[in-house]
Amino acid sequence: MAEIAKVGFCLPGSLVARTTRCGNSGCACHTGPEKRHGPYPSWTRRVAGKTVTRTLSAEQAERYKPFFQNSRRLKGLVEDLEALSVRVVSEAEGWANPLEG
Ligand SMILES: [Zn+2]
């Protein structure tokens, strides 16, 4: 719990490298996947069931990368805390460990 309190800002979704096509239909990027622009760092996440993508500058990607790492770290810590809580509650109640039967 002390580790969770220290995590800091967490960004949902993931930081990936994506290629894009621009709005100019005459541009070479519309002629094939290998002609697309980029790859650029981009942030994708699900918002209300839809994938939202935001293209980042290299500098923004560097700056926010720790926030994605924080998110993964927080998820891991929550899983650990849940596993510990299940063990504590099961021991307190005399419930069998479901993995041991
Ligand atoms: Zn283009």
Side-chain angles (χ1 to χ4, degrees), residues 14 17 32 35 43 47 63 66-67 76 85 96:
S14 53
K35 299 280 179 61
W43 169 28
V47 178
R63 184 158 17 123
F67 295 179
S85 302

Side-chain angles (χ1 to χ4, degrees), residues 21-22 24 27-30 37:
R21 287 186 306 177
C22 66
N24 178 359
C27 181
C29 66
H30 289 264
H37 301 285

